[in-house]
Amino acid sequence: MKNKFLVIVFTLFFSKNLFADKLEIQAKNISIEKNNKISTFEGEVLVKTDDGNLITSDFAKYNKEKGFIELRKNVVAKDKKNNIIKSNYAEYDEKTKILQTIGPTVINTSENYLIEGSDILFDNNSKFIRSNKKTIIEDIDKNNIFLENFEYLINTNIFKSIGLIDIKDNLNNTYQFSQIYIDTKKKEILGTDIKLNLNTEDFKINKDNKPRILANTIKINEDKKSFGKSIFTICDYRPNDKCPPWTIQATKMLHDNKKKTIYYDNALIKVYNIPILYLPRLSHPDPTVDRRSGFLLPRYSDTKNLGSGLSIPYFYAIDEDKDFTFTNYFYIDENPLFIGEYRQAFKNSNLTLDMGYTQGYKNTSASKKSGNKSHFFSNFVSSFKGKNDSENIFKLKTQHVSNDKYLKLYRIQSDLVDYNQDILESSIDFSHDSDSIFLSANTTIYENLKDNYNDKYEYIFPDLTLDKSLFQNDTLGSLDLQSNFRVNNYDTNKTSKFWINDFNWKYNDNLFSSGIKGSLIGKFKNVNYETKNIDSFKEETTNELFGAIGYLAEIDLIKKNLKNFSESLFTPKILF
């Protein structure tokens, strides 16, 4: 017998009315077998359980005697807490109130967690959802959790899993657990046997760093990450799973996301697994913080001449406009190195100082000579307005080391210092720029740190540049002057003095009907120089004059591309 839009209500009583189950099924087409035990439902099937849960599908077969429903195609089950299960095949037992999906299944929980798995069991009596198959959970922040199995407690909104557990968060960090609890209502995660790989660039000093945390336990919520019995390092992996060059071990490590600070209880700093420093309490800003007082990430170094070393920088935010970073480099076999960096911003200028000091080698030899070593670098830049809105810039730079090999030996690197540099530069520079004139004055001292140079120093004093528009009118066109006077002394007794004047003249442009544009141009160069002990130049005072006049013609050619509505400009030029 077939009926359209027929509603059949089945009421079953068992065990002498100890309990009663009700089931209501709706469908477009219903077929009932003669024995009245098997019913088939097709088209917009809707199943309502007595506890208010709903199941929809394209097809269902109901066995009245067994109290068993088989559902196929586009199966969607929804409970009163708004947990939604989607599959293409499921079986529902009205006696046990268990829904079992077979094959790929997707679940949207009441807290908007997305679950992708297979063969999932929904027990409405015990109020849990369970699967022993591999499952992926995506939370509301797009973090992905990979599980070998799971159990979800409906009433408490908690996921549980034991086994190999991986998490990849929305910052590309990866976690590994052996056991995990996820409270979707509190948005909190508890786990054991943690390995966390911090893949964000903020935690890396250089591209080879592998920041990671190992811990016995972890607790994660929106505000904090707390690790129990943790080990932290940023060092790269070593062959044969050897210990990292340095680690920070702590009974508790806490990362406060709001305060952007990492705290350690009973912090023990180790170098190659050897305890170096113990601190009952240690804290430092996390790498996302731009300016705040506190310890920065430790750094490890290992060189042939100095051996293993560890540095622990401390950043001190003196005020809004100034700060200081103090870094101590401790070496196992050598004297320490102390470096300070001072930065200050003024209204129209900036000052940076970088200085360092060490007593030198502790263990001396023929190649390792004793003696203190130090450096001082500075950079000051000031810009200010002059009359008629002219731009004025003053720069002062100093670079000094007490030993030629000092920078490379200690591999000092900062905003001002680069240990790869072989030339030091100290200079004073001033420039003035207005509508009609540009003027600059510069004095520079270069120091060569290479061994094969007999004379380390080169002096440029003065270095004067003038750029001025002499006139511009319709009758004569325009004339500009570029003049440079420079005195250079190097290799002890070599001196050159150059005064070069360039006059650049241009007559007004002529535009012809053909599209060709032309103008008369002229260039006159006056070179005056005097040198001493330089083979490639005359030693007596020399004056030279060069000049040329020509006609410059050019035409602008435009190519239009109608496909992508773009234009290309090509300008051929010819000088007669």
Side-chain angles (χ1 to χ4, degrees), residues 39-199:
S39 303
T40 303
F41 304 83
E42 292 185 81
E44 298 182 12
V45 179
L46 172 62
V47 180
K48 296 180 181 178
T49 66
D50 65 332
D51 43 16
N53 297 332
L54 302 176
I55 307 173
T56 62
S57 67
D58 293 344
F59 175 89
K61 183 181 285 188
Y62 174 63
N63 188 315
K64 179 179 178 181
E65 185 177 22
K66 295 181 179 180
F68 182 85
I69 304 177
E70 177 187 344
L71 304 116
R72 300 177 191 170
K73 293 184 180 180
N74 299 315
V75 181
V76 179
K78 183 177 181 180
D79 67 6
K80 291 191 294 186
K81 286 184 172 289
N82 207 32
N83 295 300
I84 300 173
I85 301 175
K86 298 179 181 180
S87 181
N88 269 325
Y89 184 88
E91 298 171 349
Y92 180 73
D93 190 329
E94 63 174 329
K95 297 176 183 178
T96 60
K97 297 185 178 181
I98 291 176
L99 177 72
Q100 174 73 59
T101 70
I102 307 297
T105 305
V106 175
I107 302 176
N108 292 91
T109 72
S110 57
E111 300 297 328
N112 293 318
Y113 279 64
L114 178 64
I115 305 169
E116 296 183 5
S118 61
D119 301 352
I120 292 177
L121 183 146
F122 177 16
D123 190 328
N124 198 45
N125 268 334
S126 301
K127 300 298 181 184
F128 67 75
I129 302 174
R130 176 189 296 162
S131 176
N132 291 319
K133 298 294 181 68
K134 289 184 178 181
T135 304
I136 302 174
I137 299 175
E138 182 181 272
D139 65 16
I140 58 176
D141 296 317
K142 303 300 180 182
N143 302 309
N144 290 310
I145 305 164
F146 302 87
L147 309 170
E148 291 186 322
N149 56 73
F150 80 92
E151 182 175 313
Y152 177 63
L153 306 180
I154 297 172
N155 290 334
T156 57
N157 302 97
I158 291 177
F159 281 99
K160 300 191 297 182
S161 182
I162 297 176
L164 181 60
I165 302 161
D166 293 303
I167 296 180
K168 186 175 183 180
D169 68 17
N170 52 22
L171 297 176
N172 202 36
N173 300 313
T174 59
Y175 305 68
Q176 289 184 347
F177 301 77
S178 64
Q179 187 172 352
I180 193 172
Y181 292 83
I182 306 172
D183 190 325
T184 63
K185 182 160 283 189
K186 294 181 179 178
K187 295 179 176 57
E188 187 173 87
I189 294 177
L190 302 175
T192 59
D193 301 324
I194 314 306
K195 182 177 181 181
L196 167 57
N197 293 302
L198 299 162
N199 298 319

Side-chain angles (χ1 to χ4, degrees), residues 197-296:
N197 293 302
L198 299 162
N199 298 319
T200 54
E201 295 301 318
D202 291 334
F203 272 89
K204 296 182 180 181
I205 297 175
N206 62 62
K207 61 181 180 61
D208 296 324
N209 289 153
K210 299 292 187 296
R212 57 195 181 275
I213 301 172
L214 304 177
N216 285 2
T217 61
I218 188 173
K219 181 179 180 180
I220 305 173
N221 56 39
E222 290 182 321
D223 299 329
K224 297 176 181 179
K225 291 186 183 74
S226 179
F227 302 87
K229 293 186 177 179
S230 64
I231 301 175
F232 171 64
T233 186
I234 65 170
C235 300
D236 196 359
Y237 292 98
R238 299 177 64 210
N240 302 320
D241 202 26
K242 293 181 180 179
C243 63
W246 69 262
T247 60
I248 299 178
Q249 297 184 13
T251 55
K252 181 181 179 182
M253 177 181 175
L254 176 66
H255 183 196
D256 192 314
N257 296 326
K258 286 189 174 180
K259 295 181 179 179
K260 296 185 179 297
T261 304
I262 300 175
Y263 302 90
Y264 304 86
D265 288 347
N266 300 307
L268 181 63
I269 299 174
K270 291 185 175 183
V271 175
Y272 286 114
N273 219 27
I274 300 174
I276 299 297
L277 180 65
Y278 168 78
L279 297 168
R281 296 286 186 275
L282 174 64
S283 68
H284 60 77
D286 72 21
T288 63
V289 176
D290 292 329
R291 294 188 77 255
R292 195 177 68 204
S293 297
F295 287 101
L296 305 180

Side-chain angles (χ1 to χ4, degrees), residues 1-10 27-42 60:
M1 181 175 65
K2 294 186 176 180
N3 301 283
K4 291 187 177 180
F5 302 101
L6 178 64
V7 177
I8 297 181
V9 180
F10 299 94
K28 278 189 174 182
N29 300 295
I30 301 175
S31 299
I32 302 176
E33 294 184 7
K34 291 181 180 181
N35 56 17
N36 208 28
K37 293 182 180 180
I38 303 296
S39 303
T40 303
F41 304 83
E42 292 185 81

Side-chain angles (χ1 to χ4, degrees), residues 252-500:
K252 181 181 179 182
M253 177 181 175
L254 176 66
H255 183 196
D256 192 314
N257 296 326
K258 286 189 174 180
K259 295 181 179 179
K260 296 185 179 297
T261 304
I262 300 175
Y263 302 90
Y264 304 86
D265 288 347
N266 300 307
L268 181 63
I269 299 174
K270 291 185 175 183
V271 175
Y272 286 114
N273 219 27
I274 300 174
I276 299 297
L277 180 65
Y278 168 78
L279 297 168
R281 296 286 186 275
L282 174 64
S283 68
H284 60 77
D286 72 21
T288 63
V289 176
D290 292 329
R291 294 188 77 255
R292 195 177 68 204
S293 297
F295 287 101
L296 305 180
L297 286 174
R299 301 180 185 181
Y300 170 79
S301 63
D302 190 3
T303 64
K304 178 180 179 181
N305 292 313
L306 299 174
S308 299
L310 181 70
S311 66
I312 307 176
Y314 184 84
F315 177 81
Y316 177 38
I318 303 171
D319 209 336
E320 291 182 355
D321 60 345
K322 59 180 76 74
D323 58 61
F324 182 78
T325 302
F326 176 74
T327 306
N328 44 19
Y329 291 81
F330 295 105
Y331 300 95
I332 295 177
D333 299 319
E334 294 294 347
N335 289 317
L337 168 67
F338 303 99
I339 292 179
E341 298 174 68
Y342 177 80
R343 293 162 289 268
Q344 183 168 359
F346 301 92
K347 183 178 180 180
N348 296 309
S349 55
N350 291 281
L351 172 66
T352 305
L353 305 176
D354 192 303
M355 61 215 83
Y357 172 80
T358 177
Q359 290 182 321
Y361 286 116
K362 182 187 295 185
N363 303 309
T364 60
S365 64
S367 59
K368 296 182 178 181
K369 298 181 181 180
S370 62
N372 300 337
K373 297 177 177 64
S374 63
H375 77 271
F376 180 82
F377 282 52
S378 70
N379 189 47
F380 176 77
V381 179
S382 178
S383 60
F384 54 94
K385 292 280 187 179
K387 292 182 179 180
N388 301 320
D389 286 333
S390 62
E391 296 285 345
N392 301 280
I393 299 176
F394 175 77
K395 298 179 182 179
L396 175 63
K397 178 195 290 187
T398 61
Q399 296 183 346
H400 171 74
V401 296
S402 63
N403 183 280
D404 292 349
K405 298 180 181 180
Y406 162 73
L407 297 180
K408 283 186 169 60
L409 175 63
Y410 289 91
R411 296 185 178 180
I412 300 174
Q413 190 82 37
S414 69
D415 291 339
L416 295 186
V417 186
D418 180 4
Y419 67 86
N420 291 308
Q421 68 186 99
D422 293 315
I423 304 293
L424 301 182
E425 177 186 344
S426 298
S427 62
I428 301 175
D429 181 83
F430 173 78
S431 65
H432 168 86
D433 191 4
S434 65
D435 291 338
S436 61
I437 189 171
F438 172 82
L439 175 67
S440 72
N442 177 274
T443 298
T444 306
I445 300 174
Y446 294 104
E447 180 181 356
N448 198 313
L449 302 181
K450 292 182 179 179
D451 291 335
N452 55 354
Y453 271 77
N454 296 326
D455 196 316
K456 298 170 57 175
Y457 297 97
E458 178 181 355
Y459 303 90
I460 299 176
F461 174 71
D463 187 354
L464 305 174
T465 300
L466 172 67
D467 191 345
K468 181 174 177 57
S469 175
L470 299 179
F471 63 78
Q472 184 172 0
N473 55 58
D474 295 336
T475 304
L476 299 175
S478 63
L479 181 65
D480 294 334
L481 167 64
Q482 293 178 345
S483 181
N484 177 250
F485 178 68
R486 177 186 178 109
V487 179
N488 190 6
N489 176 259
Y490 59 100
D491 289 352
T492 306
N493 61 350
K494 294 182 179 180
T495 303
S496 67
K497 299 177 183 179
F498 276 83
W499 183 20
I500 300 175

